[in-house]
Amino acid sequence: MDKKIMVTSPAMPPIEEYFEEIKSIWENRWLTHTGPKHVQLQQSLEQYLGVKNVELFANGHLALEILIQAIGLTGEIITTPFTFASTTQAILRNNITPVFCDIEDEFYTMDANKIEALITEKTSAIIPVHVYGNVCNVEKIQKIADKYGLKVIYDAAHVFGTKINGKGIGSFGDASMFSFHATKVFNTIEGGCCTFSDETLVNKLKSIRQFGQSGELDVPFVGTNAKMTEFSAAMGICNLRYIKENILSRKRCVIRYRERLTGVKGIKLCREQTGIESNYAYFPVVFDGYKYNRDEVCEELAKYNVFSRKYFYPLTSSFECITSSKGETPVAKRISEKVLTLPLYADLSIEDVDRICNIILK
Ligand code: T4K
């Protein structure tokens, strides 16, 4: 049987390098609570992402949930259902109603032309998603937000390292959330961060991350426990050294996928976005009028030990836990029923990409 190829596989540094990095944790016995590794990673990320403010968290989901709380959003938030469960759950867990905006047909990001019709007096913010690594129409979204006095938080879980016309993607909107989960372009095992422009959020974010405490005696906020450990931060420090070459390896795989699958009738690929320095996070393929449908391709690949994923099906708007939401999203529904994300990670070989394409095209 051929070796297993999963949809992704975590980037990991040489083990000796990680051992070297964590030695000092044994020496100073500081395991968590904003230790030296945490601080080092935070500063390195501010530089790498080209942003003024970064706060680290135990995972991307909590970073988003806490951002929503810290910014003080209420009522309704306009968002997309074409995303991982986390985006919608972060809104719901803040007792806010998600209002679902449809996506556009080319890059599957929020359709900025459909936002204004969804704004009511209860709307406090827009939370779009840079899905798969495709960048939202940040200019248009900002214009709408400015016109109606709304906040914009980007779910940037998929766009670590991406730039728009040379500018770090974390500097758009009021804030962005990045995921450092094992399955992401950059990982800290589990982890995440937020980037934000308003400096006054710093203390609030830190406090909510640590049980709402501020110092030893004061508890000004209802908080949670969302701290990144020193072991995670050490993993991030090591992985950051390899980020350039990891993204380049991903790019090579994407180029090969494109060479093999472009122009095949019934197979639709996302084109490269102009002005964007991509991180090549995911490789989504829409099967629309191909000789096999999405589910058949997925099953066929699995027979050969290749495990693609139906990201993002079903839409989060159809989750049974959602009792109160608004918005019709026919484009998102159609795409979610036809899209398959093919394996893509730094260690994937060009031979593996060929093997996957051969199965799809046979
Ligand atoms: N917003 C968006 C748009 C997101 O996509 C996500 C996360 C978030 C927010 C929240 O960020 P975090 O709180 O997670 O930081 C996975 C990930 O768990 C999730 O992080 C990710 N999005 C989502 C798109 O994918 P699953 O349930 O599909 O993952 P799982 O465990 O099946 O892993 C996928 C494949 O990866 C496995 O088949 C094999 C491989 N794998 C996975 C792990 C965990 C490994 O090789 N090693 C590993 O350690 O959700």
Side-chain angles (χ1 to χ4, degrees), residues 29-66:
R29 302 259 150 179
W30 196 266
L31 306 184
T32 181
H33 289 203
T34 328
K37 300 285 174 204
H38 178 128
V39 174
Q40 187 185 333
L41 180 64
Q42 180 185 4
Q43 288 168 352
S44 305
L45 288 175
E46 281 170 357
Q47 211 169 15
Y48 178 76
L49 294 171
V51 294
K52 274 200 294 186
N53 303 298
V54 167
E55 282 302 329
L56 302 179
F57 292 87
N59 55 62
H61 175 79
L62 283 169
L64 182 58
E65 204 175 296
I66 291 171

Side-chain angles (χ1 to χ4, degrees), residues 232-249:
S232 280
M235 187 68 153
I237 290 166
C238 294
N239 273 335
L240 201 55
R241 296 183 192 128
Y242 296 92
I243 189 71
K244 248 190 178 167
E245 62 187 84
N246 285 342
I247 291 177
L248 196 62
S249 303

Side-chain angles (χ1 to χ4, degrees), residues 184-209:
K184 295 293 187 284
V185 170
F186 167 78
N187 82 77
T188 57
I189 309 171
E190 287 268 5
C193 81
C194 66
T195 59
F196 49 98
S197 51
D198 178 3
E199 302 253 346
T200 64
L201 285 176
V202 173
N203 288 337
K204 207 167 175 184
L205 288 166
K206 281 184 174 158
S207 169
I208 298 172
R209 181 173 69 196

Side-chain angles (χ1 to χ4, degrees), residues 6 8 10 60-61 83-84 86 155 158 179 181 183-184 309 311:
M6 311 306 284
T8 187
H61 175 79
T83 183
F84 190 56
S86 168
D155 180 329
H158 298 180
S179 165
H181 183 258
T183 56
K184 295 293 187 284
R309 290 295 281 265
Y311 295 137

